[in-house]
Amino acid sequence: MALVVKKFGGSSVATPEKIIAVAQRVIRDKQPDDKVVVVVSAMGDTTDHLVELANSMTDVPTGREMDMLLSTGEQISIALLAMAFNKLGYPAVSLTGFQAGVSTNNAFNKAKITKIKPQRVLEALETGKIVVVAGFQGMTPGGDITTLGRGGSDTTAVALAGAMRADVCEIFTDVDGVYSSDPRVVKDAKRMKEITYNEMLEMARLGAVVMQPRSVEMGKHFGVPIHVRSTFSRELGTIIREEYTVEEKEFVIRGVTHDTNVAKVAVLGVPDSPGIAYKIFSALAKANIDVDMIVQSIRNVDKNIIDMVFTIAKPEIVEARAIVEEVGKELNVLGVMIEEDVAKVSVVGAGMFGSPGIAATMFGALSDAGINIEVISTSEISISCLIRAGQVDKAVNAIHACFFKEA
Ligand code: ADP
Ligand code: ASP
Ligand code: MG
């Protein structure tokens, strides 16, 4: 007997036929004693359409109302999937995030799971039911519905698997595993048998949307193995776990990622004195806005000013602009510029630490492709470059070709 949590993404449940196919697949793979929890996302592009609907009302919807709206997408798919199981003769029950015991903080639109008490899930499993849970949503202590950020159903699934000590969390999607680069962009990307939590987390953080970064953190926290695999085939996919167990140990670079969901913020002519960076970034932090790739220029000696450049996620532009312009006024800066026409390309690999030349190879690939680098940032296991958005496919392919020659 196994306890498994299976998550099916939006493209896997995009139509009624696909929902029935998911139910059939789950039933076919289920051993008689298995306990199965199925987490689902909203059908197809439903969440995107809900965002458009909100934008047709206002440019600045409140977080609470936005989440009230966005959470409805998953509620449709859980009900339909439970109906499909019942019709096929397998008793099932659908539960919202709240009913499944998912509690979050108050950060609407990107809430963090603070606690999971899956009492109702466990009770329903005991009665022999398949339990269908709405991904992407939870509830604040005050009883308001929240959502977990785009791709958040991954996190619901892994968190539930962790809280219930499931044997495995299977993430079913439209690709058959994790690749060395987005297979839609790099045709000869290599599929991996395994990847560590740390490397997957870095790849996800830097744009590999196949897993939401927080879901990987959850997997690491609970030590749940995550199996990323295809909804449409029975082949094994990629296992995300703490350590490598098979042959794929000898590599320096694990993946090349890209992220077009970024914007570049430049604060120009900032007085060069103590506490300035603190003022700008604490104001953003207070609004729960993540910043990345922070670069401060060297001082203009004559004027005693510097420029500050950093990146944020595109959906936060409106809020970030208001905050930075406000602080900028206070500091008497020369100007604030936000550019959306940028993208981040990164290489990720735990082996790059202590392997000189990785940065040079990456920059060489971009240079040979005639691509200008605007900002560079590094971590122990990644190097990222900010470039023009229109060049992203060319950049990813050029870098991938350099690091995965034999692919
Ligand atoms: P779902 O709707 O199932 O959650 P997503 O669209 O969120 O699916 O994630 C799957 C997509 O992730 C794939 O279609 C692929 O284009 C993209 N992707 C980006 N980077 C990678 C990668 N390194 N490996 C696999 N897929 C990736
Ligand atoms: N439906 C949500 C989204 O589109 C959550 C998810 O798919 O994981 O982001
Ligand atoms: Mg997803």
Side-chain angles (χ1 to χ4, degrees):
M1 187 208 81
L3 171 58
V4 276
V5 176
K6 295 169 186 270
K7 177 256 167 177
F8 290 86
S11 50
S12 308
V13 293
T15 62
E17 295 72 31
K18 287 188 171 170
I19 292 179
I20 293 168
V22 163
Q24 287 166 334
R25 161 98 201 231
V26 170
I27 291 166
R28 204 176 52 217
D29 291 352
K30 182 180 178 305
Q31 301 297 315
D33 287 346
D34 283 351
K35 293 186 167 160
V36 181
V37 177
V38 186
V39 174
V40 268
S41 297
M43 294 169 72
D45 297 333
T46 301
T47 309
D48 291 335
H49 293 147
L50 292 171
V51 172
E52 278 166 26
L53 260 183
N55 290 340
S56 67
M57 292 295 130
T58 166
D59 284 346
V60 280
T62 64
R64 183 185 183 281
E65 301 314 328
M66 196 66 189
D67 281 353
M68 186 65 90
L69 180 69
L70 294 189
S71 60
T72 60
E74 271 66 16
Q75 230 164 292
I76 295 172
S77 30
I78 54 170
L80 294 177
L81 182 58
M83 288 177 199
F85 280 124
N86 289 332
K87 170 105 194 297
L88 293 167
Y90 284 76
V93 61
S94 64
L95 298 175
T96 64
F98 169 69
Q99 289 172 326
V102 181
S103 301
T104 73
N105 62 10
N106 290 309
F108 292 110
N109 308 168
K110 48 180 175 182
K112 275 194 177 154
I113 296 178
T114 47
K115 197 170 54 189
I116 296 209
K117 290 212 163 147
Q119 206 48 42
R120 284 191 69 176
V121 180
L122 293 166
E123 283 164 17
L125 288 173
E126 278 313 310
T127 65
K129 291 199 170 94
I130 294 173
V131 183
V132 185
V133 176
F136 181 51
Q137 54 176 257
M139 197 164 277
T140 66
D144 286 321
I145 296 175
T146 49
T147 62
L148 309 178
R150 300 305 303 266
S153 300
D154 299 331
T155 303
T156 305
V158 179
L160 262 179
M164 300 195 321
R165 304 195 187 293
D167 297 284
V168 63
C169 180
E170 292 179 299
I171 303 287
F172 289 89
T173 183
D174 59 0
V175 277
D176 55 1
V178 179
Y179 280 75
S180 52
S181 213
D182 186 339
R184 284 178 207 256
V185 175
V186 178
K187 293 293 162 250
D188 58 358
K190 282 170 48 153
R191 185 156 62 97
M192 309 168 188
K193 289 197 178 74
E194 304 180 285
I195 181 167
T196 61
Y197 293 123
N198 286 345
E199 284 169 312
M200 187 67 235
L201 179 57
E202 194 73 345
M203 283 185 65
R205 199 178 69 73
L206 294 171
V209 295
V210 63
M211 293 296 296
Q212 198 196 36
R214 226 172 257 157
S215 70
V216 187
E217 274 170 19
M218 284 279 176
K220 185 175 165 65
H221 173 76
F222 286 111
V224 192
I226 303 169
H227 184 176
V228 180
R229 58 192 305 191
S230 168
T231 304
F232 313 108
S233 97
R234 305 195 77 181
E235 293 285 302
L236 297 180
T238 304
I239 306 280
I240 309 170
R241 51 159 72 102
E242 189 62 39
E243 297 285 351
Y244 289 101
T245 60
V246 286
E247 84 280 68
E248 301 182 43
K249 278 182 190 158
E250 299 304 324
F251 56 82
V252 176
I253 292 305
R254 202 62 177 130
V256 182
T257 63
H258 68 280
D259 188 356
T260 50
N261 192 31
V262 291
K264 174 172 137 187
V265 183
V267 193
L268 307 170
V270 184
D272 186 22
S273 52
I276 296 294
Y278 170 73
K279 275 226 168 90
I280 297 174
F281 294 111
S282 62
L284 290 165
K286 212 186 260 167
N288 204 14
I289 295 175
D290 266 330
V291 296
D292 197 14
M293 300 191 95
I294 305 172
V295 176
Q296 179 179 313
S297 71
I298 56 167
R299 174 156 39 128
N300 176 324
V301 187
D302 295 338
K303 299 187 179 140
N304 211 25
I305 53 175
I306 49 116
D307 297 332
M308 195 92 85
V309 173
F310 54 93
T311 56
I312 56 171
K314 274 204 176 101
E316 312 208 287
I317 289 178
V318 175
E319 208 180 344
R321 186 191 294 280
I323 292 169
V324 178
E325 282 180 351
E326 167 100 31
V327 179
K329 231 185 257 164
E330 211 181 293
L331 300 175
N332 212 11
V333 305
L334 293 180
V336 175
M337 265 172 47
I338 300 191
E339 282 184 83
E340 295 188 50
D341 179 31
V342 290
K344 183 161 41 175
V345 286
S346 310
V347 293
V348 175
M352 76 166 64
F353 188 66
S355 285
I358 302 296
T361 306
M362 181 184 189
F363 303 157
L366 291 172
S367 155
D368 290 347
I371 294 169
N372 187 43
I373 303 171
E374 300 185 21
V375 184
I376 299 169
S377 70
T378 61
S379 82
E380 263 182 22
I381 64 168
S382 67
I383 302 169
S384 302
C385 296
L386 200 70
I387 60 169
R388 286 290 114 188
Q391 297 183 308
V392 72
D393 286 11
K394 195 172 167 195
V396 174
N397 276 286
I399 297 168
H400 192 274
C402 275
F403 286 106
F404 295 88
K405 287 201 176 78
E406 81 288 16

